[in-house]
Coordinates of all heavy atoms in Angstrom, one line a residue:
I130 N -19.0 36.2 -2.6 CA -19.4 36.8 -1.4 C -20.1 38.1 -1.7 O -19.6 38.9 -2.5 CB -18.1 37.2 -0.6 CG1 -17.3 36.0 -0.2 CG2 -18.4 38.0 0.6 CD1 -17.8 35.0 0.8
P131 N -21.4 38.3 -1.3 CA -22.1 39.5 -1.6 C -21.2 40.7 -1.1 O -20.8 40.7 0.1 CB -23.4 39.4 -0.8 CG -23.5 38.0 -0.4 CD -22.1 37.4 -0.4
P132 N -21.0 41.7 -1.9 CA -20.1 42.8 -1.5 C -20.7 43.5 -0.3 O -21.9 43.8 -0.3 CB -20.2 43.8 -2.7 CG -20.7 43.0 -3.9 CD -21.5 41.9 -3.3
P133 N -19.9 43.7 0.8 CA -20.4 44.3 2.0 C -21.1 45.6 1.8 O -22.0 45.9 2.6 CB -19.1 44.4 2.9 CG -18.3 43.3 2.4 CD -18.5 43.2 0.9
T134 N -20.8 46.4 0.8 CA -21.5 47.6 0.6 C -22.9 47.4 0.3 O -23.7 48.4 0.4 CB -20.8 48.4 -0.6 OG1 -20.7 47.5 -1.7 CG2 -19.5 49.0 -0.2
T135 N -23.3 46.2 -0.1 CA -24.7 46.0 -0.5 C -25.5 45.3 0.7 O -26.7 45.1 0.6 CB -24.8 45.0 -1.7 OG1 -24.3 43.7 -1.3 CG2 -24.0 45.5 -2.9
W136 N -24.8 45.1 1.8 CA -25.5 44.4 2.9 C -26.5 45.4 3.5 O -26.2 46.6 3.7 CB -24.5 43.9 4.0 CG -23.6 42.9 3.5 CD1 -23.4 42.4 2.3 CD2 -22.6 42.3 4.3 NE1 -22.4 41.5 2.2 CE2 -21.9 41.4 3.5 CE3 -22.2 42.3 5.7 CZ2 -20.8 40.6 4.0 CZ3 -21.2 41.5 6.2 CH2 -20.5 40.7 5.3
R137 N -27.7 44.9 3.9 CA -28.7 45.7 4.6 C -28.6 45.4 6.1 O -29.3 44.5 6.5 CB -30.1 45.4 4.0 CG -30.2 46.0 2.6 CD -31.4 45.5 1.8 NE -31.2 44.1 1.4 CZ -31.7 43.0 2.0 NH1 -32.6 43.2 2.9 NH2 -31.4 41.8 1.5
L138 N -27.8 46.1 6.8 CA -27.5 45.8 8.2 C -28.5 46.5 9.1 O -28.9 47.7 8.8 CB -26.1 46.2 8.6 CG -25.0 45.4 7.9 CD1 -23.6 46.0 8.1 CD2 -25.0 43.9 8.4
D139 N -28.9 45.9 10.1 CA -29.8 46.5 11.1 C -28.9 47.0 12.3 O -28.3 46.2 13.0 CB -30.8 45.4 11.7 CG -31.6 45.9 12.8 OD1 -31.5 47.1 13.1 OD2 -32.4 45.1 13.4
P140 N -28.9 48.3 12.4 CA -28.0 48.9 13.5 C -28.4 48.5 14.9 O -27.6 48.6 15.8 CB -28.1 50.4 13.3 CG -29.3 50.6 12.4 CD -29.6 49.4 11.7
A141 N -29.6 47.9 15.0 CA -30.0 47.5 16.4 C -29.8 46.0 16.6 O -30.2 45.4 17.6 CB -31.5 47.8 16.6
A142 N -29.2 45.3 15.6 CA -29.0 43.9 15.7 C -28.1 43.5 16.9 O -27.1 44.3 17.2 CB -28.5 43.3 14.4
A143 N -28.2 42.4 17.5 CA -27.3 42.0 18.6 C -26.0 41.7 18.0 O -24.9 41.9 18.7 CB -27.9 40.8 19.3
Y144 N -25.9 41.1 16.8 CA -24.7 40.8 16.2 C -25.0 40.5 14.7 O -26.1 40.4 14.3 CB -24.0 39.6 16.8 CG -24.9 38.3 16.8 CD1 -24.8 37.5 15.7 CD2 -25.7 38.0 17.8 CE1 -25.6 36.3 15.6 CE2 -26.5 36.9 17.8 CZ -26.4 36.0 16.7 OH -27.2 34.9 16.6
C145 N -23.9 40.5 13.9 CA -24.0 40.1 12.5 C -23.1 38.9 12.3 O -22.0 38.9 12.6 CB -23.6 41.2 11.6 SG -23.5 40.8 9.8
H146 N -23.7 37.8 11.8 CA -23.0 36.5 11.7 C -22.6 36.2 10.2 O -23.3 36.4 9.3 CB -24.0 35.4 12.1 CG -23.4 34.0 12.1 ND1 -23.2 33.3 10.9 CD2 -22.9 33.2 13.1 CE1 -22.6 32.1 11.2 NE2 -22.4 32.1 12.5
I147 N -21.3 35.8 10.1 CA -20.8 35.4 8.8 C -20.1 34.0 9.0 O -19.8 33.6 10.1 CB -19.8 36.4 8.2 CG1 -18.5 36.5 9.1 CG2 -20.4 37.7 8.0 CD1 -17.4 37.3 8.4
T148 N -20.0 33.3 7.9 CA -19.2 32.1 7.9 C -18.0 32.3 7.0 O -18.1 32.5 5.8 CB -20.1 30.9 7.3 OG1 -21.2 30.8 8.1 CG2 -19.3 29.6 7.3
T149 N -16.8 32.5 7.6 CA -15.7 33.0 6.8 C -15.2 32.0 5.7 O -14.7 32.4 4.7 CB -14.4 33.2 7.8 OG1 -14.2 32.0 8.5 CG2 -14.7 34.4 8.7
N150 N -15.5 30.7 5.9 CA -15.2 29.8 4.9 C -16.3 28.7 4.8 O -16.6 28.0 5.7 CB -13.9 29.0 5.1 CG -13.5 28.1 4.0 OD1 -13.1 28.6 2.9 ND2 -13.5 26.8 4.2
E151 N -17.0 28.7 3.6 CA -18.1 27.8 3.4 C -17.5 26.4 2.9 O -17.1 26.2 1.8 CB -19.0 28.3 2.3 CG -19.9 29.5 2.8 CD -21.0 29.0 3.8 OE1 -21.2 27.8 4.0 OE2 -21.8 29.9 4.2
T152 N -17.4 25.5 3.9 CA -16.7 24.2 3.7 C -17.3 23.4 2.6 O -16.6 22.7 1.9 CB -16.8 23.4 5.0 OG1 -16.7 24.3 6.1 CG2 -15.8 22.4 5.1
A153 N -18.7 23.5 2.4 CA -19.3 22.7 1.4 C -19.4 23.3 0.0 O -19.6 22.6 -1.0 CB -20.8 22.4 1.9
D154 N -19.2 24.7 0.0 CA -19.4 25.4 -1.3 C -18.1 25.9 -1.8 O -18.0 26.3 -3.0 CB -20.3 26.6 -1.1 CG -21.7 26.1 -0.4 OD1 -22.6 25.8 -1.2 OD2 -21.7 26.1 0.8
G155 N -17.0 26.0 -1.0 CA -15.8 26.4 -1.5 C -15.7 27.9 -1.7 O -14.9 28.4 -2.5
V156 N -16.5 28.7 -0.9 CA -16.5 30.1 -0.9 C -15.9 30.7 0.4 O -16.2 30.2 1.5 CB -18.0 30.6 -1.0 CG1 -18.0 32.1 -1.0 CG2 -18.6 30.1 -2.3
Q157 N -15.0 31.7 0.2 CA -14.3 32.2 1.4 C -14.2 33.7 1.4 O -14.0 34.3 0.4 CB -12.9 31.6 1.5 CG -12.1 31.9 2.7 CD -10.7 31.2 2.8 OE1 -10.2 30.9 1.7 NE2 -10.2 30.9 4.0
F158 N -14.4 34.3 2.6 CA -14.1 35.7 2.7 C -12.6 35.9 2.7 O -11.9 35.2 3.3 CB -14.6 36.2 4.1 CG -16.1 36.5 4.2 CD1 -17.0 35.5 4.4 CD2 -16.5 37.8 4.0 CE1 -18.4 35.8 4.5 CE2 -17.9 38.1 4.1 CZ -18.8 37.1 4.3
H159 N -12.2 36.9 1.9 CA -10.8 37.2 1.9 C -10.5 38.6 2.5 O -9.4 39.1 2.5 CB -10.2 37.1 0.4 CG -10.2 35.7 0.0 ND1 -9.4 34.7 0.6 CD2 -10.8 35.0 -1.0 CE1 -9.6 33.5 0.0 NE2 -10.5 33.7 -0.9
E160 N -11.6 39.3 2.9 CA -11.5 40.5 3.6 C -12.5 40.5 4.8 O -13.5 39.9 4.6 CB -11.7 41.7 2.7 CG -10.4 42.2 2.1 CD -10.6 43.2 1.0 OE1 -11.3 44.2 1.2 OE2 -10.2 42.8 -0.1
T161 N -12.1 41.2 5.9 CA -13.1 41.2 7.0 C -14.0 42.3 6.8 O -13.6 43.5 6.7 CB -12.3 41.4 8.3 OG1 -11.3 40.4 8.4 CG2 -13.2 41.3 9.5
P162 N -15.4 42.1 6.8 CA -16.3 43.1 6.6 C -16.4 44.0 7.8 O -16.1 43.6 8.9 CB -17.6 42.4 6.3 CG -17.5 41.1 7.0 CD -16.0 40.7 6.9
D163 N -16.8 45.3 7.6 CA -17.0 46.2 8.7 C -18.5 46.3 9.0 O -19.3 46.8 8.1 CB -16.4 47.6 8.3 CG -16.5 48.6 9.4 OD1 -17.0 48.3 10.5 OD2 -16.1 49.8 9.1
T164 N -18.9 46.0 10.2 CA -20.3 46.0 10.6 C -20.6 47.1 11.6 O -21.6 47.1 12.3 CB -20.8 44.7 11.1 OG1 -19.9 44.2 12.1 CG2 -20.9 43.6 10.0
G165 N -19.7 48.1 11.6 CA -19.9 49.3 12.5 C -19.9 48.9 14.0 O -19.1 48.1 14.4
D166 N -21.0 49.4 14.7 CA -21.1 49.1 16.1 C -21.7 47.7 16.4 O -21.7 47.3 17.5 CB -21.9 50.2 16.8 CG -21.2 51.5 16.8 OD1 -20.0 51.5 16.7 OD2 -21.9 52.5 16.9
V167 N -22.2 47.1 15.4 CA -22.8 45.7 15.6 C -21.7 44.7 15.6 O -20.9 44.6 14.7 CB -23.8 45.4 14.5 CG1 -24.3 44.0 14.6 CG2 -25.0 46.4 14.5
P168 N -21.6 43.9 16.7 CA -20.5 43.0 16.8 C -20.5 41.9 15.6 O -21.6 41.4 15.3 CB -20.7 42.3 18.1 CG -21.6 43.2 18.9 CD -22.4 43.9 17.9
L169 N -19.4 41.7 15.0 CA -19.3 40.7 14.0 C -19.0 39.4 14.6 O -18.1 39.2 15.5 CB -18.1 41.1 13.0 CG -17.9 40.2 11.8 CD1 -19.1 40.2 10.9 CD2 -16.7 40.7 11.0
V170 N -19.8 38.4 14.3 CA -19.7 37.0 14.8 C -19.3 36.1 13.7 O -20.0 36.2 12.6 CB -21.0 36.6 15.5 CG1 -21.0 35.1 15.8 CG2 -21.2 37.4 16.8
A171 N -18.3 35.2 13.8 CA -17.9 34.4 12.7 C -17.7 33.0 13.1 O -17.0 32.6 14.0 CB -16.6 35.0 12.1
D172 N -18.3 32.1 12.2 CA -18.0 30.7 12.2 C -16.7 30.5 11.4 O -16.7 30.7 10.2 CB -19.1 29.9 11.7 CG -18.8 28.4 11.6 OD1 -17.8 28.0 12.0 OD2 -19.7 27.7 11.1
M173 N -15.6 30.2 12.1 CA -14.3 30.0 11.4 C -13.9 28.6 11.4 O -12.7 28.2 11.2 CB -13.2 30.9 12.0 CG -13.4 32.3 11.7 SD -11.8 33.2 12.1 CE -12.4 34.9 11.9
T174 N -14.9 27.7 11.6 CA -14.5 26.3 11.8 C -13.5 25.7 10.7 O -12.5 25.1 11.1 CB -15.8 25.4 11.8 OG1 -16.5 25.8 12.9 CG2 -15.4 23.9 11.9
S175 N -13.8 26.0 9.5 CA -12.9 25.4 8.5 C -11.7 26.2 8.0 O -10.8 25.6 7.3 CB -13.7 24.9 7.2 OG -14.5 26.0 6.8
D176 N -11.6 27.4 8.4 CA -10.3 28.1 8.1 C -9.6 28.7 9.3 O -8.7 29.5 9.2 CB -10.5 29.2 7.0 CG -11.5 30.3 7.4 OD1 -12.0 30.3 8.5 OD2 -11.7 31.2 6.5
F177 N -10.0 28.2 10.5 CA -9.3 28.6 11.7 C -7.9 28.1 11.6 O -7.6 27.0 11.2 CB -10.0 27.9 12.9 CG -9.7 28.4 14.2 CD1 -9.9 29.7 14.6 CD2 -9.0 27.6 15.2 CE1 -9.6 30.2 15.8 CE2 -8.7 28.0 16.4 CZ -9.0 29.3 16.8
L178 N -6.9 29.0 12.0 CA -5.5 28.7 12.0 C -4.9 28.5 10.5 O -3.8 28.0 10.4 CB -5.1 27.5 12.8 CG -5.4 27.7 14.3 CD1 -4.9 26.5 15.1 CD2 -4.8 28.9 14.9
S179 N -5.7 28.9 9.5 CA -5.2 28.8 8.2 C -4.6 30.1 7.7 O -3.9 30.1 6.6 CB -6.3 28.3 7.2 OG -7.1 29.4 6.9
R180 N -4.7 31.2 8.4 CA -4.3 32.5 8.0 C -4.4 33.4 9.2 O -5.1 33.2 10.2 CB -5.1 33.0 6.8 CG -6.6 33.1 7.2 CD -7.4 33.6 6.0 NE -8.8 33.7 6.3 CZ -9.7 34.1 5.5 NH1 -9.4 34.5 4.2 NH2 -11.0 34.1 5.8
P181 N -3.7 34.6 9.1 CA -3.9 35.6 10.2 C -5.3 36.1 10.2 O -6.0 36.2 9.2 CB -2.9 36.7 9.8 CG -1.9 36.1 8.8 CD -2.7 35.0 8.1
V182 N -5.8 36.5 11.4 CA -7.1 37.0 11.6 C -7.0 38.3 12.4 O -6.4 38.4 13.4 CB -8.0 36.0 12.4 CG1 -9.3 36.6 12.7 CG2 -8.1 34.7 11.7
P183 N -7.7 39.4 11.8 CA -7.7 40.6 12.6 C -8.8 40.5 13.7 O -9.9 40.9 13.6 CB -8.1 41.7 11.6 CG -8.8 40.9 10.5 CD -8.3 39.5 10.5
V184 N -8.4 39.9 14.8 CA -9.3 39.5 15.9 C -10.1 40.7 16.4 O -11.3 40.5 16.7 CB -8.6 38.8 17.0 CG1 -9.5 38.5 18.2 CG2 -7.9 37.5 16.6
T185 N -9.5 41.8 16.5 CA -10.2 43.0 17.1 C -11.4 43.4 16.2 O -12.2 44.2 16.7 CB -9.3 44.2 17.2 OG1 -8.7 44.5 15.9 CG2 -8.1 43.9 18.2
K186 N -11.5 43.0 15.0 CA -12.7 43.3 14.2 C -13.9 42.4 14.5 O -15.0 42.6 13.9 CB -12.3 43.2 12.7 CG -11.3 44.3 12.3 CD -11.1 44.3 10.8 CE -10.2 45.5 10.3 NZ -10.0 45.4 8.9
Y187 N -13.7 41.4 15.3 CA -14.7 40.5 15.6 C -15.2 40.7 17.1 O -14.4 41.0 18.0 CB -14.3 39.1 15.4 CG -14.0 38.7 14.0 CD1 -12.7 39.0 13.4 CD2 -15.0 38.2 13.2 CE1 -12.5 38.7 12.1 CE2 -14.7 37.9 11.8 CZ -13.5 38.2 11.3 OH -13.2 37.9 10.0

Side-chain angles (χ1 to χ4, degrees):
I130 299 290
T134 49
T135 66
W136 297 5
R137 287 163 291 107
L138 295 169
D139 174 5
Y144 60 87
C145 176
H146 182 284
I147 63 170
T148 303
T149 52
N150 184 69
E151 288 283 2
T152 322
D154 307 270
V156 174
Q157 188 177 25
F158 278 83
H159 292 297
E160 268 165 60
T161 307
D163 181 2
T164 50
D166 290 338
V167 175
L169 183 60
V170 167
D172 177 1
M173 288 196 188
T174 294
S175 49
D176 61 2
F177 194 63
L178 298 184
S179 75
R180 59 181 179 179
V182 174
V184 173
T185 56
K186 293 189 173 174
Y187 294 87

